[in-house]
Amino acid sequence: MNSEHEPVLTCRCYEVARSDIEAAIERGAATVNDVKRMTRAAMGICQGIYCVPEIAELLARAGQPHDSVAPMTARPPARLVSLAELESLSPEPAP
Amino acid sequence: MRSFDIAVVGAGPAGVAAAASAARLDATVVLISETTDETGQLRSELSSTGAGFMAGAQVWGAWPGYELAMHTAAGAQLVRASRVIVATGSTAITRSFLGSDLPGVMTGEGLLRMLKVHGVWPGGKRVAIVGDDAEAIEQLDLAIDEAGGELVALIDANPVARSTNGVLTAIGSRVDGEWTETDIAALCWGRRPDIALALMLECGTRYSGSLGGFVPVRSQTLESTREGVYLCGDCAGIGSVEVARLEGALAGAAASESLGHASGQQVATLQKRLHAEHPGRILAVHEDEMPWRQHAIESVRARRGS
């Protein structure tokens, strides 16, 4: 069965363990964005749908008020998009 | 690029109500649906209202102005709209725990979709349901039965309590000290608002335990902190179908009215109804005890004789 020494993967896209996130908080991360920049959690293909609420909860548990940890900054694309599709939206043909 | 007065993203109860209500007030409306489920039914529901409908279009980008970029079977498409109504609904709650990345550990919603929509089993058919979302558990229990599966354990593990060992035990399916082999652990921990698009549009949010987590801040007419962006239904707080429909109708009417289409008393009336029938959708409320949850879990257990 599982060993207690196996990591609990909080961000599966980048395989960031919960202990990595807790360590980042220990080192001063105070918001979801801080954790993201320090660990790469939430930067993968799911764009944090699953791990951001959990990171926020870990921050809250460490004493940060929920409202101050804020969900992370969101930028397009929110879904997987091929480069060809992105290029098709370009007003100028690529050189 | 096609232009509309109002683009509604999400074709659940809130989005459909919003599109219908806005179109009836003579705004030009497009309803954008990520899936192609129930396309025919939606089309006929909307045909009398004049709202346009795009099925199978995944909105992946949004910019001020507003421009929405989406992926469709025909490639990328852009839509421009003066107002955006966000009705993106909710996503299943997941948690990480020891073993949560093992094959066979999945959301109840994912398993339900595999069984009901795709008609496949992901590996074996012995299932442990873990969680406290009574409605999802009942639905999944029936689907497992119908698909010839076996519910070997029903474990009421609340993710908030979330003792790692507790959930590990659940996944190994150890009930009352006995280990039971399972192929699938289906997590039914409820839903949380899907605010990805709202965040992309830079709508302000706050945290509300009773509404299901981070939710967009809204005015009394359901407008976000971004002018011209309205939010309705589960994406603004987990609630009932009734509240989603009501909020959709209000958001649609308010967005239409903001473009100069007179709604008569509609906006004021819907606003009063929302406030009276569903207090706390916009302002903070106290945590509900939700006693019905426990009741329904027990009814499944009783039916299963375990």
Side-chain angles (χ1 to χ4, degrees), chain B residues 163-197:
Chain B
S163 124
T164 304
N165 280 331
V167 185
L168 168 64
T169 304
I171 295 315
S173 299
R174 193 169 74 184
V175 188
D176 301 329
E178 296 284 316
W179 287 91
T180 310
E181 290 256 318
T182 65
D183 304 305
I184 299 167
L187 313 175
C188 296
W189 280 331
R191 310 188 62 80
R192 65 163 70 92
D194 183 348
I195 59 170
L197 186 62

CSV table of all heavy atoms in Angstrom, one decimal, chain B residues 163-197:
chain,number,residue,atom,x,y,z
B,163,SER,N,-8.2,14.5,7.5
B,163,SER,CA,-7.1,13.9,8.0
B,163,SER,C,-6.5,13.0,6.9
B,163,SER,O,-7.2,12.2,6.3
B,163,SER,CB,-7.5,13.0,9.2
B,163,SER,OG,-7.0,11.7,9.1
B,164,THR,N,-5.2,13.2,6.6
B,164,THR,CA,-4.7,12.4,5.5
B,164,THR,C,-4.9,10.9,5.7
B,164,THR,O,-5.3,10.2,4.8
B,164,THR,CB,-3.2,12.7,5.3
B,164,THR,OG1,-3.0,14.1,5.2
B,164,THR,CG2,-2.6,12.0,4.1
B,165,ASN,N,-4.7,10.5,6.9
B,165,ASN,CA,-4.8,9.0,7.1
B,165,ASN,C,-6.3,8.6,6.9
B,165,ASN,O,-6.5,7.5,6.5
B,165,ASN,CB,-4.4,8.7,8.5
B,165,ASN,CG,-2.9,8.6,8.6
B,165,ASN,OD1,-2.3,8.2,7.6
B,165,ASN,ND2,-2.3,8.9,9.7
B,166,GLY,N,-7.2,9.5,7.3
B,166,GLY,CA,-8.6,9.2,7.2
B,166,GLY,C,-8.9,9.0,5.8
B,166,GLY,O,-9.6,8.0,5.4
B,167,VAL,N,-8.4,9.8,4.9
B,167,VAL,CA,-8.8,9.7,3.5
B,167,VAL,C,-8.0,8.5,2.9
B,167,VAL,O,-8.6,7.8,2.0
B,167,VAL,CB,-8.6,11.0,2.7
B,167,VAL,CG1,-9.1,10.9,1.3
B,167,VAL,CG2,-9.3,12.1,3.4
B,168,LEU,N,-6.8,8.3,3.3
B,168,LEU,CA,-6.0,7.2,2.8
B,168,LEU,C,-6.8,5.9,3.1
B,168,LEU,O,-7.0,5.0,2.3
B,168,LEU,CB,-4.7,7.2,3.4
B,168,LEU,CG,-3.9,5.9,3.2
B,168,LEU,CD1,-3.6,5.7,1.8
B,168,LEU,CD2,-2.6,5.9,4.1
B,169,THR,N,-7.3,5.9,4.3
B,169,THR,CA,-8.1,4.7,4.7
B,169,THR,C,-9.3,4.5,3.8
B,169,THR,O,-9.6,3.4,3.4
B,169,THR,CB,-8.6,4.9,6.2
B,169,THR,OG1,-7.4,5.1,7.0
B,169,THR,CG2,-9.3,3.7,6.7
B,170,ALA,N,-9.9,5.7,3.5
B,170,ALA,CA,-11.0,5.6,2.6
B,170,ALA,C,-10.6,5.0,1.3
B,170,ALA,O,-11.4,4.2,0.7
B,170,ALA,CB,-11.6,7.0,2.5
B,171,ILE,N,-9.5,5.5,0.7
B,171,ILE,CA,-9.1,5.0,-0.6
B,171,ILE,C,-8.7,3.6,-0.6
B,171,ILE,O,-9.0,2.8,-1.5
B,171,ILE,CB,-7.9,5.9,-1.1
B,171,ILE,CG1,-8.4,7.3,-1.3
B,171,ILE,CG2,-7.4,5.4,-2.4
B,171,ILE,CD1,-9.8,7.4,-2.0
B,172,GLY,N,-8.1,3.1,0.4
B,172,GLY,CA,-7.8,1.7,0.6
B,172,GLY,C,-9.1,1.0,0.9
B,172,GLY,O,-9.1,-0.2,1.0
B,173,SER,N,-10.1,1.8,1.2
B,173,SER,CA,-11.4,1.3,1.6
B,173,SER,C,-11.4,0.4,2.8
B,173,SER,O,-11.8,-0.7,2.8
B,173,SER,CB,-12.0,0.5,0.4
B,173,SER,OG,-12.1,1.4,-0.7
B,174,ARG,N,-10.8,0.9,3.8
B,174,ARG,CA,-10.9,0.2,5.1
B,174,ARG,C,-12.1,0.7,5.9
B,174,ARG,O,-12.1,1.8,6.3
B,174,ARG,CB,-9.6,0.4,5.9
B,174,ARG,CG,-9.5,-0.6,7.0
B,174,ARG,CD,-8.2,-0.6,7.7
B,174,ARG,NE,-8.0,0.6,8.5
B,174,ARG,CZ,-6.8,0.9,9.1
B,174,ARG,NH1,-5.8,0.1,9.0
B,174,ARG,NH2,-6.7,2.0,9.8
B,175,VAL,N,-13.1,-0.1,6.0
B,175,VAL,CA,-14.2,0.2,6.7
B,175,VAL,C,-14.3,-0.6,8.0
B,175,VAL,O,-14.2,-1.8,8.0
B,175,VAL,CB,-15.5,0.0,5.9
B,175,VAL,CG1,-16.7,0.6,6.6
B,175,VAL,CG2,-15.4,0.6,4.5
B,176,ASP,N,-14.4,0.1,9.1
B,176,ASP,CA,-14.5,-0.6,10.4
B,176,ASP,C,-13.4,-1.6,10.6
B,176,ASP,O,-13.6,-2.7,11.0
B,176,ASP,CB,-15.9,-1.3,10.6
B,176,ASP,CG,-17.0,-0.3,10.5
B,176,ASP,OD1,-16.8,0.9,10.9
B,176,ASP,OD2,-18.1,-0.7,10.0
B,177,GLY,N,-12.2,-1.2,10.2
B,177,GLY,CA,-11.0,-2.0,10.4
B,177,GLY,C,-10.8,-3.1,9.4
B,177,GLY,O,-9.8,-3.7,9.4
B,178,GLU,N,-11.8,-3.2,8.5
B,178,GLU,CA,-11.6,-4.3,7.4
B,178,GLU,C,-11.2,-3.6,6.1
B,178,GLU,O,-11.8,-2.6,5.7
B,178,GLU,CB,-13.0,-5.0,7.2
B,178,GLU,CG,-13.5,-5.7,8.4
B,178,GLU,CD,-12.7,-7.0,8.6
B,178,GLU,OE1,-12.5,-7.8,7.6
B,178,GLU,OE2,-12.4,-7.3,9.8
B,179,TRP,N,-10.2,-4.2,5.5
B,179,TRP,CA,-9.8,-3.7,4.2
B,179,TRP,C,-10.7,-4.4,3.1
B,179,TRP,O,-10.9,-5.6,3.1
B,179,TRP,CB,-8.3,-4.0,3.9
B,179,TRP,CG,-7.4,-3.1,4.7
B,179,TRP,CD1,-6.9,-3.4,5.9
B,179,TRP,CD2,-7.0,-1.8,4.3
B,179,TRP,NE1,-6.2,-2.3,6.3
B,179,TRP,CE2,-6.2,-1.4,5.3
B,179,TRP,CE3,-7.2,-1.0,3.1
B,179,TRP,CZ2,-5.6,-0.1,5.3
B,179,TRP,CZ3,-6.6,0.2,3.1
B,179,TRP,CH2,-5.8,0.7,4.1
B,180,THR,N,-11.1,-3.6,2.1
B,180,THR,CA,-11.9,-4.1,1.0
B,180,THR,C,-11.1,-3.7,-0.3
B,180,THR,O,-10.8,-2.5,-0.4
B,180,THR,CB,-13.3,-3.5,1.0
B,180,THR,OG1,-13.9,-3.7,2.3
B,180,THR,CG2,-14.1,-4.2,0.0
B,181,GLU,N,-10.9,-4.6,-1.2
B,181,GLU,CA,-10.3,-4.3,-2.4
B,181,GLU,C,-11.2,-3.5,-3.3
B,181,GLU,O,-12.4,-3.9,-3.4
B,181,GLU,CB,-9.9,-5.5,-3.2
B,181,GLU,CG,-8.7,-6.3,-2.5
B,181,GLU,CD,-7.4,-6.1,-3.3
B,181,GLU,OE1,-7.5,-6.1,-4.5
B,181,GLU,OE2,-6.4,-5.9,-2.6
B,182,THR,N,-10.8,-2.4,-3.9
B,182,THR,CA,-11.6,-1.6,-4.8
B,182,THR,C,-10.8,-1.3,-6.0
B,182,THR,O,-9.6,-1.3,-6.0
B,182,THR,CB,-12.1,-0.3,-4.2
B,182,THR,OG1,-11.0,0.5,-4.0
B,182,THR,CG2,-12.9,-0.5,-2.9
B,183,ASP,N,-11.5,-1.1,-7.1
B,183,ASP,CA,-10.8,-0.7,-8.4
B,183,ASP,C,-10.9,0.8,-8.6
B,183,ASP,O,-10.1,1.5,-9.2
B,183,ASP,CB,-11.5,-1.3,-9.6
B,183,ASP,CG,-11.6,-2.8,-9.4
B,183,ASP,OD1,-10.5,-3.4,-9.2
B,183,ASP,OD2,-12.7,-3.4,-9.4
B,184,ILE,N,-12.0,1.4,-8.0
B,184,ILE,CA,-12.2,2.8,-8.2
B,184,ILE,C,-12.6,3.5,-6.9
B,184,ILE,O,-13.4,2.9,-6.1
B,184,ILE,CB,-13.4,3.0,-9.2
B,184,ILE,CG1,-13.1,2.4,-10.6
B,184,ILE,CG2,-13.8,4.5,-9.4
B,184,ILE,CD1,-14.3,2.2,-11.5
B,185,ALA,N,-12.0,4.7,-6.7
B,185,ALA,CA,-12.5,5.5,-5.6
B,185,ALA,C,-13.1,6.7,-6.2
B,185,ALA,O,-12.4,7.5,-6.9
B,185,ALA,CB,-11.4,5.9,-4.7
B,186,ALA,N,-14.4,6.9,-6.0
B,186,ALA,CA,-15.1,8.0,-6.6
B,186,ALA,C,-15.3,9.1,-5.6
B,186,ALA,O,-16.0,8.8,-4.5
B,186,ALA,CB,-16.5,7.6,-7.2
B,187,LEU,N,-14.8,10.3,-5.8
B,187,LEU,CA,-14.9,11.4,-4.8
B,187,LEU,C,-16.1,12.2,-5.0
B,187,LEU,O,-16.2,12.9,-6.1
B,187,LEU,CB,-13.6,12.2,-4.9
B,187,LEU,CG,-12.3,11.4,-5.0
B,187,LEU,CD1,-11.1,12.3,-5.2
B,187,LEU,CD2,-12.1,10.5,-3.7
B,188,CYS,N,-17.0,12.3,-4.1
B,188,CYS,CA,-18.2,13.1,-4.2
B,188,CYS,C,-18.2,14.1,-3.0
B,188,CYS,O,-18.8,13.9,-2.0
B,188,CYS,CB,-19.4,12.2,-4.1
B,188,CYS,SG,-19.6,11.0,-5.4
B,189,TRP,N,-17.4,15.1,-3.2
B,189,TRP,CA,-17.2,16.1,-2.2
B,189,TRP,C,-17.9,17.4,-2.5
B,189,TRP,O,-17.5,18.5,-2.0
B,189,TRP,CB,-15.7,16.4,-2.0
B,189,TRP,CG,-15.0,15.3,-1.2
B,189,TRP,CD1,-15.6,14.6,-0.2
B,189,TRP,CD2,-13.7,14.9,-1.2
B,189,TRP,NE1,-14.7,13.7,0.3
B,189,TRP,CE2,-13.5,13.9,-0.3
B,189,TRP,CE3,-12.6,15.2,-2.0
B,189,TRP,CZ2,-12.3,13.2,-0.1
B,189,TRP,CZ3,-11.4,14.6,-1.8
B,189,TRP,CH2,-11.2,13.6,-0.8
B,190,GLY,N,-18.8,17.4,-3.4
B,190,GLY,CA,-19.6,18.6,-3.7
B,190,GLY,C,-18.9,19.4,-4.8
B,190,GLY,O,-18.0,18.9,-5.5
B,191,ARG,N,-19.4,20.6,-5.0
B,191,ARG,CA,-19.0,21.4,-6.1
B,191,ARG,C,-18.5,22.8,-5.6
B,191,ARG,O,-18.9,23.2,-4.6
B,191,ARG,CB,-20.1,21.5,-7.1
B,191,ARG,CG,-20.7,20.2,-7.5
B,191,ARG,CD,-21.7,20.3,-8.7
B,191,ARG,NE,-21.0,20.8,-9.9
B,191,ARG,CZ,-20.3,20.0,-10.7
B,191,ARG,NH1,-20.2,18.7,-10.4
B,191,ARG,NH2,-19.7,20.5,-11.7
B,192,ARG,N,-17.7,23.4,-6.4
B,192,ARG,CA,-17.3,24.8,-6.1
B,192,ARG,C,-17.5,25.7,-7.3
B,192,ARG,O,-17.5,25.2,-8.5
B,192,ARG,CB,-15.9,24.9,-5.6
B,192,ARG,CG,-14.8,24.5,-6.6
B,192,ARG,CD,-13.5,25.0,-6.1
B,192,ARG,NE,-13.0,24.3,-5.0
B,192,ARG,CZ,-12.2,23.2,-5.0
B,192,ARG,NH1,-11.8,22.7,-6.2
B,192,ARG,NH2,-11.7,22.6,-3.9
B,193,PRO,N,-17.7,27.0,-7.1
B,193,PRO,CA,-18.0,27.9,-8.3
B,193,PRO,C,-16.8,27.8,-9.3
B,193,PRO,O,-15.7,27.8,-8.9
B,193,PRO,CB,-18.1,29.2,-7.6
B,193,PRO,CG,-18.5,29.0,-6.2
B,193,PRO,CD,-17.8,27.7,-5.9
B,194,ASP,N,-17.1,27.8,-10.6
B,194,ASP,CA,-16.1,27.9,-11.6
B,194,ASP,C,-15.9,29.3,-12.0
B,194,ASP,O,-16.7,29.9,-12.7
B,194,ASP,CB,-16.5,27.0,-12.8
B,194,ASP,CG,-15.5,27.1,-13.9
B,194,ASP,OD1,-14.5,27.9,-13.8
B,194,ASP,OD2,-15.6,26.3,-14.9
B,195,ILE,N,-14.9,29.9,-11.4
B,195,ILE,CA,-14.7,31.4,-11.6
B,195,ILE,C,-13.6,31.7,-12.6
B,195,ILE,O,-13.1,32.9,-12.7
B,195,ILE,CB,-14.4,32.1,-10.3
B,195,ILE,CG1,-13.2,31.5,-9.6
B,195,ILE,CG2,-15.7,32.0,-9.4
B,195,ILE,CD1,-12.8,32.4,-8.4
B,196,ALA,N,-13.1,30.7,-13.4
B,196,ALA,CA,-12.0,31.0,-14.3
B,196,ALA,C,-12.2,32.1,-15.2
B,196,ALA,O,-11.4,33.0,-15.3
B,196,ALA,CB,-11.6,29.7,-15.0
B,197,LEU,N,-13.4,32.1,-15.8
B,197,LEU,CA,-13.6,33.2,-16.8
B,197,LEU,C,-13.8,34.6,-16.1
B,197,LEU,O,-13.4,35.6,-16.5
B,197,LEU,CB,-14.9,32.9,-17.6
B,197,LEU,CG,-15.2,33.8,-18.8
B,197,LEU,CD1,-14.0,33.9,-19.8
B,197,LEU,CD2,-16.5,33.5,-19.5
